[in-house]
Structure formats: structure tokens, C-alpha cells
Amino acid sequence: MFAIQTSNLSRHFGTIKAVDHLTLNVPRGIIFGFLGPNGAGKTTTINLLLGLLEPAEGSAKVLGFDCSTQSDLVRKHTGALFEHSGLYERLSVKDNLEFYARIWRLPRGLRTSRIHQLLNHFALWDRRDQIASKLSRGMQRKLALARAFIHQPTLVFLDEPTSGLDPIAAAHLHDDLLAFCRTEEATVFLTTHNLPEAEKICSQVAVISNGRLLTQGSVDELCKAKMVHQIEVIGSDFDEMLLSTLASSRGVLSAKGDRGRLILEVDEKADPASLSHAIISSGGRVEEFRRVRSSLEDVFLALMEGENDR
Amino acid sequence: MIADVLTVMWKEWKELYAQYRKADLNLLVSVLAIAFLGVFPALQAGERWMSSPMVLIFSGWVPLILVSGVIADAFAGERERHTLEPLLASHLSDTSILIGKIASAVSYGWGHALFMLLIGLITVNVIDVGGGFLFYSPSILLAGILLSLLGSGAAACAGVIVSLRAPTVKYAQQLLSSASMLVFVLLFIAARSAPIDWWGISSKELVSNLIIYTTLILALLDLALFLIAKSRFRREELILD
């Protein structure tokens, strides 16, 4: 059973198609990355899935509940962290969680223990009486994340969770999120345009642009399907003559580079051993010779280039 | 739903208390204003304060001023601070959020109005030390309690209607304080032009009629404003705003 299923889901704002016939299946129990550039329709999709916006066309089910007719049930079983942390800055760290624990009607005993557990997990227990505005941005993000998980939801929507965080704070948040999702066995629907982040923590991703779904699958599948075959050579004494020799070698589609680094785009016919031999015979010195694996970023950029060409 | 309303009220009160704690001056101004409005008219009227319909004008107007000060923040403030999205994404019903916001503002305005009645009572008894203990006439006391409640309700509902669509808290505050002043001026003009000696009014029938009609008008106004506020509360529009 899927945690999220959408069928031709669409929403327009005037002439702008924010979400355009989106058909998506998100399996349960995974961290699902929903990727796209700014303005691609990621946040609108979350708002549609939470039943906060009405679709113009199509339908969506979250945890088996219809997002249009059973939006209260959808919201009851899900948690959400939006682009802005949305903390009550005049209230203490503990009171921010207490409010949402009361909203989800956690009994008093459970409320106390859950708040304790979450604040401990996110290393905020010592700051429980501090007002939220005094926390660093990273800590505020952690508190907002704790708030999204307060009622042990089956599914959590995270909209750009590391937006505006420095790399260290973002890395800590990733680790916390991964550890926490493992413990809670929740499905996470995460939107981001931070591709290394998605590659690190998501088991499946979908790419959206201009409201349209461009692709969906596991990170490995997408990287293999959109594989860019490249060989990177690090060394010295690479010159123009060497570049033209390599460019005319069997299986080499193009050869680019400077005196210290070469990038060869190759097809299946290319033989790495003969290529390295050709470099050495032409007077080049090789320190490192390796096949380059496509990253999610390469896949994403290739998709966006294709989209721009349309 | 009651539990949800109480939850929203709990948060609103916590925020209000935190705001006052942060700025002690706010608390001081509030206490001084109430003390002034409770002490000054009672000093002027003396023992007539206990049975004068003027008490009712103050009971209705004081919460109007106070409530419009806090209710402006209800939705415009949540929108400005980006706390509205997570609140709307929770499973709280529209009605619970709306009633919770209105009820916390009403309790704030009503509490202050009752405090003002108490201050007036103490003032009159202090200046009339030798004359035995004076207390509000039953009809004035009942009407004071009821009208300040209904006045707070009207101000809170009107404030929510403005706050729901106001682009900023400041805009909502300016609009509401202007409206409160306008209500005060209209009340003042109406009171001055009526051929009645408000301090010395003695006809019990006139007082009773005034109370009954004012209560009825305010109750209907409260209901109408609440229904308008409820019809304007749309999650989709709040998210898109």
C-alpha cells in the first residue's frame, strides 16, 4: 500500500500551472525526496496533499484518505514542517511542543515523556525553558522538526528542512532525521533543491519542474538510467596534441581538459586500458584514472536541460 | 471541540503573558488605564456610580479598546510570524481555532472590565467612608457583567474579521483602533444628545429598558459578527494570503 497516491493532480493560479497532472506513488516507510528548482510546485503539492488547497483537477490519497473530502483525517495522521519553522518565538522551547502535544490530545503523562524524548533526541533538553527566538537557526529547525513528530505521525511532510542552515547544522539535521525515521518507522516526504542532501538520505526521489513530474525512482535507478559515461584523468603534461589523439580514439565522444585534468566522454566501446596507454605514450603523466559515477545532481541537471530545451 | 478551544486559549494566554513579561511597560499602561477609567468616573459620580447607566457605557467601551489591541494579532500576527501554516496543517477544526482566538480575547477584555467595576466599587466606598458599604444596584451589576462580556465578544469578532485578511498586524491595529474611537465618539454624541441626565437618572423603568435593548442589540451584533468571521475563515485563502 502506498503512503501517497496522486492521479493527474493539478492546481493552477491564474495562467500559471503550479501542479500539472501529477501522478505519483510514494511507498510507505521510506524517505521520499521530491526535487525541483524554486517555483517548481513542491510546496503547492504539499498543500494539496494536506488538503489545505483544493485541486483544480485530479485526485490524491494520503494514507488511504482522500485529500479533498477527508482532509481532516489526512491532517490528523500526518505532521508537517514548512519552509519557515513557524515557532512561537515568545514561548519557551517546551511550550512550543506542549501546545502541539495538546492539539493532538496526547494524555498528560505521554505528553511529558514524549516532549522529554524529543528534546533529548534533538539535544534541546538543556534549553527547554529558553524562549524559541533565542535559539540558533539550526536549533529552531530541530525544534520545528520535533514538533512535526510530536504525535508520532505515520507520514511527515518536510518542506526544505535544511534551507538556510550552514553545512554543519544541515549535516547534523540529516543525521537526526535519519536516526529518528528509523526509530519511528514513519514515511517522510521531503522537498528540497539540495541534491547532495536528497542523494544522502532519500531512498526514492521524484523530480518535478513547472508542476510536471519528470521522473521517479530510486537514486541508483535514476543515476544508472541517466548515466553519463565519463573518465576523469588527473596528472600533468596534458597538451592539445594529446587531446586530439584521445578525441580520435575508439569509443571516445569528446575530450576536454587542461594540463592537469582531463575529462573524456566515452561510450561502451571505449577501453580504459588503451586510453591510459595512449596518454602515457603521448608524454602525459597519470596520477589518477577513474570512471565517474553520475550523481543525482548530474541527473537533475540533465533533466532540467531537457526541460529548458522543450 | 471544547478541549481544542481550551488548547488554543492556553497558547494565546501564554503568548500574551510572555509579551507582557517582556515589556513591563505594557502591563503598567494597562493597569494604569483601567485604574484611571475605574477610579476617575467613580470619583466624579460618587455614590451615583453605583446605580448610573454610565457604568454600562464604560463597561462596554473599555473591553472594546482592550480587545481590539490584542485581537489584531490573532491571524495577521500568526501570518507575519509564519506560525499560521503549521497551525492550519494540524487537525484543529476551523471552528475550534476561531472560537479559541475569540474566547481568549474576550476573556482578556471582560476580565479587565470586571476589574474596572471592582476598582470603581472600591473608589466609591473609599470616598464615602462614613456612609456604610455601598454596592452596585443588582440591575447595574448584572448589566455591567453582561454588557462587558457582549462588548468584548463584538470587539473580538470584528477584530477577527479584520485580522483574517489584514496584510500586517500594524494595519489591523490601526483599523481597529480607529473603529474603536469612532464607536466611542458616536456613543458620546448619542449620550449627549439624548434628553437624559445620565448621572442622575432615577427611573428604574428607563434603566431596565436601556439595559434590555442594549443587551439585545449587542447579542445580535455578536452573533452576526461571529457568523461573518466563520464564513471568512477559509483554510485555502489563509494559506494563499
Side-chain angles (χ1 to χ4, degrees):
Chain A
M1 193 179 171
F2 292 106
I4 298 171
Q5 278 181 294
T6 70
S7 170
N8 285 317
L9 190 68
S10 304
R11 172 72 200 216
H12 310 154
F13 297 116
T15 54
I16 299 166
K17 291 175 179 176
V19 177
D20 189 9
H21 296 92
L22 180 71
T23 299
L24 196 67
N25 293 315
V26 177
R28 284 185 185 237
I30 65 162
I31 299 183
F32 185 88
F34 196 52
L35 319 177
N38 289 331
K42 303 186 295 288
T43 303
T44 305
T45 304
I46 288 189
N47 285 332
L48 285 165
L49 294 174
L50 283 167
L52 297 173
L53 293 179
E54 274 292 312
E57 267 181 76
S59 62
K61 280 191 170 186
V62 168
L63 304 170
F65 301 115
D66 187 283
C67 296
S68 293
T69 57
Q70 297 173 296
S71 58
D72 49 343
L73 288 169
V74 170
R75 290 193 290 267
K76 190 172 181 178
H77 293 91
T78 55
L81 166 64
F82 293 92
E83 195 177 347
H84 297 280
S85 297
L87 298 171
Y88 292 102
E89 296 195 339
R90 293 193 286 247
L91 299 190
S92 70
V93 167
K94 204 173 153 203
D95 282 343
N96 266 281
L97 293 186
E98 174 82 23
F99 175 49
Y100 276 86
R102 284 172 184 242
I103 284 180
W104 267 282
R105 297 182 195 158
L106 266 57
R108 187 190 291 265
L110 181 59
R111 213 157 63 207
T112 312
S113 61
R114 182 70 176 159
I115 291 171
H116 187 269
Q117 181 203 358
L118 285 166
L119 290 181
N120 260 332
H121 180 89
F122 290 105
L124 290 168
W125 179 249
D126 291 340
R127 296 177 184 265
R128 62 191 177 278
D129 295 321
Q130 199 171 328
I131 59 167
S133 62
K134 299 283 180 196
L135 296 178
S136 69
R137 198 172 158 80
M139 285 177 180
Q140 287 186 347
R141 222 54 193 143
K142 283 184 179 189
L143 179 57
L145 196 58
R147 183 191 62 201
F149 280 99
I150 189 85
H151 55 301
Q152 293 183 291
T154 321
L155 168 67
V156 181
F157 294 97
L158 304 178
D159 194 2
E160 308 279 1
T162 53
S163 148
L165 296 187
D166 64 60
I168 297 168
H172 282 156
L173 197 73
H174 289 155
D175 295 343
D176 284 342
L177 183 62
L178 277 170
F180 203 69
C181 289
R182 256 179 244 127
T183 324
E184 303 272 313
E185 294 176 356
T187 307
V188 174
F189 185 89
L190 176 143
T191 77
T192 183
H193 48 236
N194 182 340
L195 301 164
E197 169 181 278
E199 191 163 2
K200 189 178 169 193
I201 64 176
C202 298
S203 31
Q204 276 204 33
V205 296
V207 181
I208 182 179
S209 178
N210 296 319
R212 290 186 309 108
L213 182 70
L214 301 184
T215 190
Q216 182 187 347
S218 72
V219 174
D220 279 345
E221 276 168 12
L222 293 184
C223 289
K224 273 180 196 160
K226 300 276 176 185
M227 179 77 90
V228 182
H229 297 273
Q230 282 186 338
I231 291 173
E232 184 184 25
V233 188
I234 307 288
S236 56
D237 301 335
F238 305 148
D239 53 23
E240 286 300 320
M241 196 187 290
L242 171 61
L243 279 177
S244 55
T245 308
L246 289 172
S248 58
S249 301
R250 187 169 173 265
V252 177
L253 304 174
S254 72
K256 289 179 281 187
D258 51 34
R259 292 194 68 81
R261 183 171 176 263
L262 294 175
I263 296 289
L264 310 175
E265 273 197 21
V266 296
D267 61 21
E268 306 79 43
K269 292 176 213 149
D271 174 22
S274 58
L275 286 172
S276 65
H277 182 71
I279 295 169
I280 294 162
S281 333
S282 304
R285 290 169 61 86
V286 176
E287 288 168 18
E288 202 178 324
F289 188 98
R290 64 185 179 98
R291 273 188 184 278
V292 180
R293 179 189 179 273
S294 297
S295 68
L296 190 57
E297 195 167 351
D298 297 322
V299 175
F300 182 83
L301 291 174
L303 284 167
M304 289 305 126
E305 256 176 46
E307 186 66 5
N308 290 338
D309 293 343
R310 266 168 46 93
Chain B
M1 193 180 79
I2 291 171
D4 291 341
V5 168
L6 291 174
T7 297
V8 176
M9 287 179 74
W10 176 87
K11 191 277 290 178
E12 293 291 316
W13 271 99
K14 276 265 176 185
E15 275 207 293
L16 204 58
Y17 174 69
Q19 190 183 344
Y20 271 120
R21 199 179 45 181
K22 196 177 167 190
D24 290 338
L25 192 64
N26 283 353
L27 183 63
L28 187 67
V29 168
S30 172
V31 170
L32 283 178
I34 298 305
F36 179 73
L37 288 168
V39 172
F40 185 70
L43 269 177
Q44 199 187 359
E47 65 179 84
R48 287 179 302 168
W49 180 251
M50 299 287 104
S51 55
S52 167
M54 285 301 282
V55 174
L56 309 183
I57 293 177
F58 280 95
S59 311
W61 186 66
V62 167
L64 191 71
I65 290 289
L66 292 167
V67 168
S68 56
V70 295
I71 199 71
D73 193 71
F75 290 97
E78 297 248 16
R79 191 183 298 115
E80 258 183 18
R81 296 187 291 274
H82 304 287
T83 51
L84 192 58
E85 281 169 301
L87 187 67
L88 295 175
S90 75
H91 78 109
L92 284 179
S93 68
D94 300 358
T95 315
S96 328
I97 297 174
L98 198 62
I99 296 181
K101 296 267 185 194
I102 290 172
S104 56
V106 166
S107 60
Y108 176 76
W110 194 33
H112 277 77
L114 296 182
F115 180 60
M116 193 201 74
L117 285 176
L118 178 69
I119 295 285
L121 176 71
I122 293 168
T123 306
V124 171
N125 279 286
V126 166
I127 59 171
D128 190 48
V129 177
F133 181 69
L134 296 168
F135 197 69
Y136 291 107
S137 72
S139 58
I140 291 292
L141 180 66
L142 182 68
I145 293 170
L146 204 59
L147 291 184
S148 54
L149 174 64
L150 292 171
S152 304
C157 291
V160 158
I161 292 170
V162 172
S163 186
L164 274 169
R165 292 286 175 274
T168 60
V169 179
K170 200 173 174 185
Y171 173 85
Q173 275 170 341
Q174 282 170 348
L175 196 64
L176 288 168
S177 55
S178 306
S180 306
M181 284 313 294
L182 184 69
V183 169
F184 176 71
V185 170
L186 290 176
L187 274 176
F188 184 75
I189 293 170
R192 294 285 288 186
S193 23
I196 299 168
D197 171 14
W198 292 98
W199 291 118
I201 195 166
S202 56
S203 163
K204 279 189 179 174
E205 195 185 346
L206 183 60
V207 172
S208 301
N209 282 341
L210 265 172
I211 291 170
I212 289 167
Y213 287 124
T214 316
T215 306
L216 270 176
I217 291 168
L218 271 179
L220 286 173
L221 186 66
D222 277 21
L223 183 66
L225 290 172
F226 176 73
L227 292 175
I228 294 171
K230 198 166 180 318
S231 71
R232 284 177 66 112
F233 188 104
R234 292 274 172 273
R235 271 181 150 93
E236 173 154 332
E237 284 170 29
L238 288 169
I239 283 288
L240 292 177
D241 279 346

